Amino acid sequence: MAYDYDSGNIFAKILRGEIPNDTVLETGHSLAFNDIGPQAPVHVLVIPKGAYVNWDHFVIEASAEEIADFARAIHAVVEKLGLEPGSGGQGYRLIMNAGEAGLQEVPHLHAHILSGRPLGKLVAEG
Ligand code: 5GP
């Protein structure tokens, strides 16, 4: 297997209930909660409950049900927060960092949903 999951990471601890989180939404296979260090007025993290390091690991090993649940959980957060452009919302940016170039800090797959202000350039200058 290309990925070894470290069950000591902070999101694994959140999923085990060992540290608290500010939950936005929970589904059968996914959890959404506010980021502890928000980079915008809206900064929500969505994670699968399964032990997946990043998006690639998830797509290779997760079940179709888990993948569908994760995708729908992201949409459910967007809908709950009134951000959906098709319904008059202001929109948002969806980010998933992976590996070194992506500067992923927490080795459990997570999608960042950012909104609440114009978010500027897609990536920082190198
Ligand atoms: P990454 O750089 O891995 O894509 O993003 C990790 C994110 O996790 C960061 O935005 C960081 O603020 C957030 N984070 C780190 N530790 C915690 C925590 O204990 N609770 C919450 N809610 N977010 C955290």
Side-chain angles (χ1 to χ4, degrees), residues 10-11 14 19-22 33-39 43 45 95-98 102-108 110 112:
I10 200 86
F11 295 165
I14 285 176
I19 61 170
N21 75 91
D22 183 11
F33 52 90
N34 285 307
D35 195 291
I36 203 167
Q39 301 294 306
H43 190 169
L45 301 172
I95 297 174
M96 284 189 264
N97 295 319
L103 291 181
Q104 181 178 3
E105 288 175 12
V106 179
H108 181 111
H110 50 284
H112 298 254

Side-chain angles (χ1 to χ4, degrees), residues 61-72:
E61 296 206 355
S63 66
E65 187 178 324
E66 288 174 291
I67 293 170
D69 183 283
F70 184 64
R72 292 195 174 109

Side-chain angles (χ1 to χ4, degrees), residues 8-24:
N9 78 75
I10 200 86
F11 295 165
K13 290 179 181 174
I14 285 176
L15 285 167
R16 289 195 295 267
E18 293 168 9
I19 61 170
N21 75 91
D22 183 11
T23 298
V24 173

